[in-house]
Amino acid sequence: FSYCTTRPSDPPTMATMTSPNMEQPLRATPPPAEALPVKWLVPWAVLGFCEGFVFQKVAVVYPAVLADQFVFRNWVVMKFFLSAVGFSMLSQAILATVAPDTFANSMDYGSNSYGSLRVLGGCAILGAGMAVAGSGPSMFFPSVGAAVGSSGWLIAGGFVAALLVAVADLRVPVTGQGTKTCEMTVGALVQAKAGREMKYPVIAGAMGLFLVLATVVLEVIVPYKHDLERYGGAFVLPYPENPLHQPAWPPIIVGATVGLAQIVVRRVSGDGLGTATSFTIAVATLSCGKLAPGKGLQESRKNWWQPLFIVWIVVGALTAAA
């Protein structure tokens, strides 16, 4: 990233120089770069491989499967999301109980950066885009490994979207007042209605368990194999006994993988599990931090977990599709 380095054009003056006996050095030196903790490398690589592998195995990387979910021609993606959210909430409940400080720190960025209007608008755009493209941010990189024909366009679209958001943030910067737009939390709502206080782990655990059970019931009513038969190919052939050779797995397996992985990643790196930030990191890196400041690879080596993660996602999906 030497192209991002700038050199001063003006010679030093007496006003900018100090004596060797003073605390300030004769010339400014950049702060040392943050080192990427070695303990991050293995967990992110393993989780990336597992995520890519199971995403391909549950068939959500294929545009027709996701697009059909929006018109309820299948229930594969619904079961995947229900189980992922359910297991994530169970993981959050566990983490909030055994490591409350880690849980609070990992949740701080998302809860303090954006207001509810921006989140609602972003979700509306995301939902429309997923319905049209038959894919979403979490599926972009697994689709590359699975050799989906539209994967290149998905990556390009994600980068353009991140670029537009970064430019928009220059005009309307984030104020960090997100939490003030929604002061009535679930816990406060329960307390107001029921007259008793309920802790987050209890609420999250109960809701997570409900969603997981709902996924199980939905799978019994509409088996995933029946859902996928409409797409022909290997989905209509008898499934081999070896699970690794089967063309598809139950969606709840992917949900469990994504959800339970939250415990590992938040304990190790204090961050959540996701790939959409990689586009923001790319924009920040290529703009030398002028856009999306603080996210560039040259600004903090802690941001390097994202490239590592997505590379192993592609490898995992490629392995599953082989």
Side-chain angles (χ1 to χ4, degrees):
F1 305 107
S2 58
Y3 71 92
C4 291
T5 305
T6 56
R7 297 182 178 180
S9 57
D10 298 328
T13 63
M14 292 300 295
T16 60
M17 297 178 65
T18 59
S19 167
N21 295 325
M22 298 180 68
E23 294 182 0
Q24 297 294 329
L26 283 173
R27 59 182 180 179
T29 56
E34 288 182 280
L36 178 67
V38 177
K39 66 179 182 179
W40 289 19
L41 301 180
V42 174
W44 279 117
V46 172
L47 291 172
F49 181 88
C50 291
E51 179 165 320
F53 194 96
V54 297
F55 267 60
Q56 196 283 330
K57 280 297 186 184
V58 84
V60 295
V61 298
Y62 301 111
V65 175
L66 182 57
D68 283 350
Q69 175 64 82
F70 283 92
V71 291
F72 299 104
R73 289 178 183 161
N74 71 58
W75 294 88
V76 173
V77 182
M78 177 68 75
K79 287 182 280 190
F80 157 58
F81 277 115
L82 285 176
S83 59
V85 174
F87 280 107
S88 292
M89 297 187 75
L90 290 174
S91 297
Q92 303 282 48
I94 295 171
L95 194 61
T97 301
V98 302
D101 291 339
T102 300
F103 171 76
N105 291 336
S106 67
M107 297 293 288
D108 180 70
Y109 177 79
S111 61
N112 288 286
S113 296
Y114 306 113
S116 57
L117 291 179
R118 175 167 173 156
V119 171
L120 289 172
C123 289
I125 295 172
L126 176 63
M130 291 177 68
V132 172
S135 188
S138 297
M139 293 82 162
F140 286 179
F141 297 103
S143 70
V144 174
V148 175
S150 60
S151 59
W153 292 106
L154 295 173
I155 300 298
F159 178 80
V160 171
L163 178 62
L164 293 176
V165 172
V167 172
D169 281 343
L170 292 179
R171 301 281 184 173
V172 185
V174 178
T175 61
Q177 300 299 318
T179 54
K180 294 185 178 180
T181 62
C182 186
E183 296 180 356
M184 180 61 79
T185 63
V186 175
L189 181 61
V190 172
Q191 184 174 3
K193 296 297 184 180
R196 55 178 296 184
E197 181 180 2
M198 293 189 69
K199 300 295 184 181
Y200 172 84
V202 176
I203 299 174
M207 294 179 66
L209 183 60
F210 172 79
L211 292 178
V212 171
L213 292 177
T215 306
V216 173
V217 172
L218 194 56
E219 178 61 39
V220 172
I221 297 174
V222 188
Y224 74 98
K225 291 181 180 180
H226 174 74
D227 262 344
L228 294 174
E229 285 178 354
R230 69 169 54 245
Y231 304 105
F235 296 126
V236 298
L237 300 176
Y239 278 47
E241 293 184 4
N242 188 340
L244 295 178
H245 298 158
Q246 293 177 0
W249 287 355
I252 195 171
I253 293 180
V254 183
T257 302
V258 174
L260 297 178
Q262 298 287 342
I263 298 177
V264 179
V265 298
R266 292 187 187 276
R267 284 290 288 170
V268 171
S269 62
D271 210 335
L273 190 64
T275 58
T277 308
S278 58
F279 295 107
T280 304
I281 290 176
V283 169
T285 301
L286 294 176
S287 67
C288 298
K290 293 181 176 61
L291 298 174
K295 292 292 186 180
L297 297 179
Q298 70 274 26
E299 297 175 85
S300 173
R301 291 182 181 174
K302 286 187 175 182
N303 293 330
W304 279 82
W305 72 263
Q306 276 277 357
L308 173 70
F309 186 53
I310 62 176
V311 165
W312 281 102
I313 286 177
V314 173
V315 173
L318 179 63
T319 303

